[in-house]
């Protein structure tokens, strides 16, 4: 979406590359995979010309985010011409025989009429194979969709010299075992495909009758598919991964202040210094520490002070880190965790779901996911259970937080309910109270967006109303 992490990173041109990057952002990778992606992306980061040329070439050959799935489907399909395999040797023998009969009849060695025997036989073969050939032709045409032009894209990758093992592995996958590079195989496919495109020529029916052209052309493509079709998926998956890695490298190049996260096996844990939101041009940095299981930050503060932005910064950077990308922080250490959020919950008139019910359903999903992750999760809860009365909200919020911590997960909760702060005082608690604050300057609220220890001791709801022009009397305000 507009202004999303995906939009920030995405420089892919093919649909497969786009989907691969989206998959990396959608699901956390294990520590080994993250380190591998980081190493490959580091090498690609300074290779600006290669990344830009790869993207430009891909946009030319993959207009409208062309999906290789159809080509892969055709390549992996079984033989299409087995039913007319008998016609292949006849297509090789009959045209030369017919030509010989024509020559001999012309010079008077045999009767002229004998040439018609060969022509009638070829016509019979053309009619008998027409349906099968047409089905094969339609299948090739659906799958091709311009992918013959991918040869130049694969060739650009093949010409690179890589150092990182994963990049070398991807590059080696673009060479057929014991055979030529993929770009050469695509060029060969292109030449074969051009043979069946002859069907658009006005003289195609006559040429096919005289030479059985389509049988030769389509059997040649069938042989190409039999030899290389099982490898096509690997070619495009390798290209998609390389595109995604180039996106990570591009982020590292374009954001030199970002840092590469350090992975650790034990968790859940997330620790960051000078953490900022990756989508903000000038984020205010803050330190965040969730060093182990059952650690939580209880974030209080006035409206607009930065509570939700901090949680979003934390979640967004964890998503980046576990995709293999650099993050907006001075230092960042974490273990693989599943990010679970309850933020921006919406009701639904269509489904008949109230705001409170929608939030309860969301919290149930978070609790179930934390249990399924066996505690290897990071929960981020923003002002939960606002849709009910204060007393029940306090009770329910405490229990939800206790259940999440009991699963072994770590995380953060924002709240205006200062009564939750007592959780930090319970024996053995690993909940830490932190807050944001504001102050007045010349009658205006000013925020510094700095995270502080402890519970907030100021509020600003009535001031916000007053500044918006809503006359609200504060019965607790001192008399003037």
């Amino acid at each position: 979406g507009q202004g999303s992490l995906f939009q920030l990173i995405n420089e892919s041109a093919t649909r497969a590359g786009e989907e691969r990057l989206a998959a990396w952002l959608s699901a956390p990778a294990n520590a080994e995979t993250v380190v591998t992606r980081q190493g490959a992306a580091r090498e690609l980061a300074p290779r600006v010309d290669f990344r830009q040329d790869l993207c430009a070439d891909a946009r030319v050959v993959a207009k409208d985010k062309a999906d290789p799935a159809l080509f892969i489907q055709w390549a992996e399909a079984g033989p299409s011409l087995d039913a007319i395999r008998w016609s292949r040797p006849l297509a090789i023998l009959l045209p030369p025989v017919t030509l010989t009969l024509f020559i001999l009849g012309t010079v008077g060695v045999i009767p002229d009429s004998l040439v018609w025997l060969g022509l009638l036989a070829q016509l019979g073969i053309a009619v008998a194979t027409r349906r099968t050939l047409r089905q094969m032709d339609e299948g090739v045409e659906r799958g091709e969709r311009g992918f013959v032009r991918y040869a130049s894209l694969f060739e650009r990758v093949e010409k690179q010299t890589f150092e990182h093992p994963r990049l070398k592995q991807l590059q080696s996958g673009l060479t057929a075992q014991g055979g030529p590079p993929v770009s050469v195989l695509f060029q060969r496919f292109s030449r074969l495909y051009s043979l069946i495109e002859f069907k658009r020529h006005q003289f195609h029916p006559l040429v096919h009758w005289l030479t059985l052209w389509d049988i030769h052309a389509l059997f040649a493509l069938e042989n190409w598919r039999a030899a290389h079709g099982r490898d096509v998926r690997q070619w495009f998956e390798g290209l998609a991964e390389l595109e995604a890695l180039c996106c990570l490298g591009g982020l590292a190049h374009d954001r030199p202040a970002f840092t590469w996260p350090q992975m650790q096996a034990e968790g859940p844990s997330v620790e960051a210094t000078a953490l900022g939101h990756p989508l903000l041009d000038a984020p205010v940095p803050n330190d965040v520490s969730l060093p182990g299981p059952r650690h939580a930050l209880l974030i209080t503060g006035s409206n607009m002070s930065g509570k939700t932005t901090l949680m979003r910064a934390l979640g967004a950077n964890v998503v980046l880190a576990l995709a293999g990308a650099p993050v907006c922080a001075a230092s960042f250490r974490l273990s693989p965790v599943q990010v679970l959020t309850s933020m921006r919950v919406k009701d639904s008139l269509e489904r008949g779901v109230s705001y409170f019910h929608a939030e309860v359903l969301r919290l149930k999903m978070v609790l179930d996911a934390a249990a399924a992750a066996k505690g290897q999760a990071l929960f981020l809860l923003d002002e939960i259970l606002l849709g009910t009365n204060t007393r029940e909200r306090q009770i329910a919020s405490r229990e939800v937080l206790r259940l999440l911590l009991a699963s072994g997960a770590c995380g953060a909760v924002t709240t205006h309910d200062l009564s939750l702060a007592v959780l930090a005082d319970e024996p053995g608690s690993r909940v830490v109270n932190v807050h944001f604050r504001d102050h007045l300057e010349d009658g205006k609220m000013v925020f510094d967006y700095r995270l502080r220890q402890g519970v907030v001791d100021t509020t600003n709801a009535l001031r916000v109303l007053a500044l918006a022009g809503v006359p609200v009397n504060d019965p607790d305000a001192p008399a003037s």
Side-chain angles (χ1 to χ4, degrees):
Q2 182 68 26
S4 65
L5 279 181
F6 181 77
Q7 187 183 57
L8 172 69
I9 302 175
N10 184 32
E11 293 179 354
S12 64
T14 68
R15 184 172 299 174
E18 193 174 64
E19 290 175 351
R20 180 62 59 92
L21 179 62
W24 288 1
L25 291 170
S26 300
N30 59 46
E32 182 181 359
T33 301
V34 169
V35 172
T36 297
R37 291 177 189 168
Q38 286 181 356
R42 282 176 187 263
E43 182 173 334
L44 292 170
R47 299 194 181 199
V48 180
D49 291 342
F50 168 69
R51 290 189 288 102
Q52 291 181 346
D53 290 343
L54 184 69
C55 181
D57 286 352
R59 291 190 187 280
V60 171
V61 302
K63 290 182 179 179
D64 302 323
K65 303 285 186 182
D67 186 357
L70 291 175
F71 186 75
I72 294 172
Q73 181 181 346
W74 173 83
E76 293 180 342
S80 302
L81 302 179
D82 279 355
I84 60 168
R85 195 159 294 278
W86 55 268
S87 68
R88 177 63 169 155
L90 294 177
I92 296 173
L93 294 174
L94 267 180
V97 170
T98 302
L99 179 60
T100 301
L101 292 176
F102 173 74
I103 294 173
L104 294 176
T106 301
V107 299
V109 176
I110 61 173
D112 295 348
S113 58
L114 289 179
V115 70
W116 288 102
L117 294 177
L119 291 174
L120 288 174
Q122 290 178 205
L123 180 62
I125 292 173
V127 172
T129 59
R130 179 178 58 185
R131 181 176 180 181
T132 303
L133 292 175
R134 183 175 68 250
Q135 291 174 344
M136 168 74 170
D137 182 31
E138 291 173 351
V140 176
E141 189 168 357
R142 281 196 304 272
E144 187 274 330
R145 298 291 185 185
F147 280 102
V148 293
R149 298 190 295 274
Y150 266 65
S152 61
L153 189 59
F154 285 106
E155 184 177 10
R156 184 174 294 281
V157 177
E158 293 160 0
K159 289 181 178 179
Q160 290 295 306
T161 301
F162 294 120
E163 298 297 330
H164 191 272
R166 183 53 184 164
L167 295 176
K168 287 184 175 180
Q169 186 180 20
L170 290 173
Q171 190 179 44
S172 66
L174 301 184
T175 302
Q177 294 182 357
V182 171
S183 60
V184 174
L185 297 178
F186 263 74
Q187 290 167 359
R188 189 175 301 169
F189 176 90
S190 178
R191 290 192 295 270
L192 295 175
Y193 185 77
S194 66
L195 297 179
I196 68 171
E197 293 227 291
F198 180 67
K199 66 181 180 290
R200 295 184 174 86
H201 198 280
Q202 60 180 336
F203 294 116
H204 169 260
L206 177 62
V207 173
H208 177 50
W209 177 31
L210 296 176
T211 65
L212 298 176
W213 179 278
D214 290 354
I215 294 177
H216 296 294
L218 288 169
F219 266 101
L221 274 177
E222 182 89 317
N223 292 338
W224 186 96
R225 176 167 64 176
H228 310 296
R230 64 185 179 276
D231 299 322
V232 169
R233 182 180 295 275
Q234 174 186 313
W235 300 343
F236 281 102
E237 286 184 349
L239 181 62
E241 181 169 343
L242 188 60
E243 277 196 282
L245 289 171
C246 283
C247 292
L248 303 186
L251 178 65
H253 177 270
D254 297 341
R255 299 289 195 279
F258 282 22
T259 190
W260 293 99
Q262 296 180 348
M263 300 300 300
Q264 57 186 43
E266 298 298 325
S269 67
V270 182
E271 295 183 272
T273 59
L275 177 76
H277 198 300
L279 297 177
L280 296 178
D281 292 332
V284 177
N286 285 290
D287 297 344
V288 173
S289 179
L290 295 168
R294 294 181 290 281
H295 281 76
L297 298 178
L298 189 66
I299 309 172
T300 54
S302 55
N303 297 291
M304 303 179 295
S305 61
K307 302 187 301 297
T308 303
T309 300
L310 176 69
M311 286 213 305
R312 289 177 178 168
L314 181 59
N317 279 295
V318 169
V319 167
L320 284 176
L322 295 180
V327 297
C328 183
S331 68
F332 202 84
R333 181 188 297 272
L334 79 163
S335 66
V337 290
Q338 181 73 43
V339 179
L340 307 173
T341 67
S342 178
M343 305 172 74
R344 299 179 66 183
V345 176
K346 297 180 180 180
D347 55 6
S348 173
L349 293 176
E350 182 180 0
R351 294 170 52 202
V353 177
S354 69
Y355 178 89
F356 178 71
H357 190 203
E359 192 173 15
V360 168
L361 293 177
R362 181 64 181 175
L363 289 173
K364 180 64 166 61
M365 291 173 59
V366 170
L367 289 167
D368 290 346
K374 301 185 184 305
Q376 301 303 309
L378 171 72
F379 60 85
L380 302 171
L381 310 181
D382 189 28
E383 294 290 346
I384 60 174
L385 300 173
L386 286 178
T388 188
N389 63 75
T390 302
R391 178 179 174 277
E392 290 186 326
R393 181 175 69 246
Q394 292 172 350
I395 296 172
S397 297
R398 288 195 197 99
E399 291 309 307
V400 168
L401 185 54
R402 286 196 177 102
L403 287 170
L404 284 170
L405 295 176
S407 74
C410 65
V413 180
T414 68
T415 183
H416 284 285
D417 193 344
L418 302 186
S419 67
L420 292 179
V422 298
L423 291 173
D425 300 326
E426 295 182 355
S429 173
R430 299 175 185 174
V431 176
V432 176
N433 288 314
V434 292
H435 72 278
F436 290 94
R437 65 171 59 216
D438 67 281
H439 63 279
L440 286 175
E441 288 185 9
D442 299 326
K444 295 182 179 180
M445 287 184 298
V446 177
F447 305 94
D448 62 10
Y449 307 112
R450 296 291 182 181
L451 191 63
R452 295 173 172 83
Q453 296 296 312
V455 183
V456 69
D457 56 6
T458 61
T459 58
N460 70 357
L462 296 180
R463 290 204 303 267
V464 171
L465 287 167
L467 291 173
V470 179
V472 176
N473 292 321
D474 182 2
D476 297 326
S480 58

